[in-house]
Amino acid sequence: MILLTLAEGFEEIEALTPVDMLRRAGQTVKTVGVTGKVVTGAHGIPVTADLCPEDVRAEEVTLLILPGGMPGTKHLDESAFVDGWIRQVATSGGRLAAICAAPMVLGKRGYLKGRHAVCYPGFESYLAGAVVEDSPVVTDGKITTARGMGVAFAFARELVRLTAGDEVADRVALSTMPDGLPVPAKVF
């Protein structure tokens, strides 16, 4: 199962674009409300999460997605649930993905050390030991990071590519952008 975290103050586009694109690709994606069942985004949009934290079986999560936004990222960083999910997914060989400010959550825990990564400008100091790239989206091994809301579609397309393959990623992207595909991610 793919799990996307929602915390009060999350960036709506960074959260909902990957959910939408992955579901279009036929992937099983669930949202979890870290701060409650109904979670309000940074721009006042309430979203009802599929799951509460106690409903999550971490061993079933194959991809954990952390959207950015403030104070959403701060709430993710402070969550014992999120901390445990990250540890479980990384230990079991699953994938981690974070966009905008949220790569700081991975960086502060040492998951980006020696890896290529990106984040929203100004959060680079939190990417402890990372090789900070100047690219919209970067995948290094089992970790994908992205710069921010403006590249949410490219981030989502990369997650579809990683979970369903190139052909499905291209098909889903072209079904929403018939005039061309977004810039692909850098992969290391």
Side-chain angles (χ1 to χ4, degrees), residues 2 7 39 41 67 73 98 109 124 136-137:
I2 298 169
V39 187
T73 296
R109 287 160 177 75
E124 294 86 358
V137 181

Side-chain angles (χ1 to χ4, degrees), residues 3 16 27 33 42 45 73 85 101 103 105 116 119 136 141 163 169 172 174:
L3 186 68
L16 298 179
Q27 301 297 302
I45 301 170
T73 296
W85 298 330
V105 177
H116 297 262
C119 63
T163 59
V172 171
L174 283 169

